[in-house]
Amino acid sequence: MTDTKADRASAGRVLLIEDEEATASGLREGLSANGWRVDCAAAGREGLALAAQGGFDVLIVDRMLPELDGLSLVTELRAKGLDTPALFLTALGSIADRVAGLDAGGDDYLVKPFAFAELNARLNALARRPGRQRDPVTLSLGHLQLDRLARTLRRGGREIELLPLEFKLLEFLMLNAGQVVTRKMLLEKVWGFQFDPQTNIVETHLSRLRGKIQAPGEASLIVTIRGAGYVIGAPASIGAGQP
Ligand code: CA
């Protein structure tokens, strides 16, 4: 997690993907003066790679970029499951262009030339939109680190291989860390079942998952709450000493 005090005190973290140098440097200066932490990319592929790392509150995306155009960039990002708000900033201002931008997964569209105050206001609105929080790429719990993009899991220095369903199960538990999830929730969210198959499918997979993430002697991370469900990272086990 790169979330520091300075980070929270700022307007937010913005990734500016723009190939015109003068525009980029002018924007960077204006955004910084307004409290934004700014990262820049001057080409589509670089922009996509940075955006895919996550941690940004909002993206500013030019439409016409070298290597990969802005529309394709946002389309690819959404396909990867990242929903960081994106504002297209572009000279292409027809209704058809705007519609294409929103269809590609953009959240807002501002046509050049624009007033900086308007851009800043729109970025603030996007970054603070309720329900649109940072989408963490890495979920961490104590020494356990789940990378949702690379689909890898590590506990301390150890790499752990998971089957797709085990990955999904652990991901759901970690997204709800510290909260009890019921068997019904797991059946619905992990297996997609709207009914209880009356088998021990949940218990079997949890037991296998426990065996994989927990070597002998390591702290137990998934706790069974009798009659209620399961919880990962109950206060007693968060950050437990052993890696
Ligand atoms: Ca351009």
Side-chain angles (χ1 to χ4, degrees):
M1 289 282 115
T2 54
D3 205 16
T4 62
K5 269 184 191 159
D7 192 6
R8 265 175 261 129
S10 76
R13 204 170 156 214
V14 56
L15 174 61
L16 171 63
I17 310 171
E18 165 70 76
D19 62 320
E20 287 140 302
E21 237 171 78
T23 309
S25 70
L27 276 174
R28 174 175 216 148
E29 206 170 296
L31 290 166
S32 300
N34 279 272
W36 293 94
R37 288 175 53 208
V38 189
D39 284 63
C40 294
R45 283 279 155 216
E46 183 197 358
L48 178 62
L50 280 172
Q53 287 172 13
F56 294 101
D57 295 291
V58 61
L59 314 174
I60 301 174
V61 186
D62 182 23
R63 283 275 306 263
M64 290 180 288
L65 291 164
E67 295 170 10
L68 180 72
D69 69 272
L71 282 188
S72 308
L73 188 158
V74 173
T75 303
E76 282 196 33
L77 197 66
R78 298 295 182 243
K80 287 175 187 285
L82 281 121
D83 67 351
T84 313
L87 175 141
F88 282 110
L89 188 61
T90 168
L92 305 174
S94 75
I95 299 225
D97 286 325
R98 288 166 188 258
V99 169
L102 298 175
D103 277 350
D107 300 88
D108 202 353
Y109 203 102
L110 191 57
V111 178
K112 295 173 184 170
F114 58 92
F116 182 82
E118 184 178 6
L119 171 68
N120 195 46
R122 289 189 184 210
L123 291 177
N124 275 315
L126 284 174
R128 303 210 170 114
R129 188 182 283 182
R132 292 299 292 267
Q133 295 164 347
R134 282 184 187 187
D135 193 22
V137 171
T138 309
L139 300 175
S140 303
L141 187 80
H143 297 282
L144 201 63
Q145 281 215 322
L146 186 83
D147 186 322
R148 300 167 74 197
L149 267 187
R151 315 294 290 177
T152 55
L153 174 70
R154 305 188 71 82
R155 185 166 184 178
R158 184 159 58 97
E159 187 145 342
I160 301 168
E161 284 196 22
L162 295 180
L163 295 172
L165 200 80
E166 295 162 350
F167 191 93
K168 214 171 157 187
L169 181 57
L170 181 60
E171 184 180 39
F172 184 74
L173 287 168
M174 289 181 81
L175 282 168
N176 294 283
Q179 296 168 46
V180 176
V181 299
T182 63
R183 179 186 157 82
K184 185 167 181 282
M185 287 163 76
L186 291 174
L187 283 168
E188 272 182 29
K189 305 292 181 191
V190 179
W191 278 268
F193 290 167
Q194 301 299 319
F195 57 92
D196 190 333
Q198 305 291 335
T199 65
N200 58 358
I201 183 175
V202 173
E203 294 72 16
T204 308
H205 279 84
L206 272 170
S207 153
R208 205 177 301 155
L209 180 61
R210 277 183 170 127
K212 285 191 176 180
I213 64 175
Q214 199 176 317
E218 285 182 346
S220 171
L221 293 174
I222 302 173
V223 179
T224 303
I225 312 286
R226 201 172 264 258
Y230 307 90
V231 62
I232 196 167
S237 68
I238 291 182
Q242 300 119 316

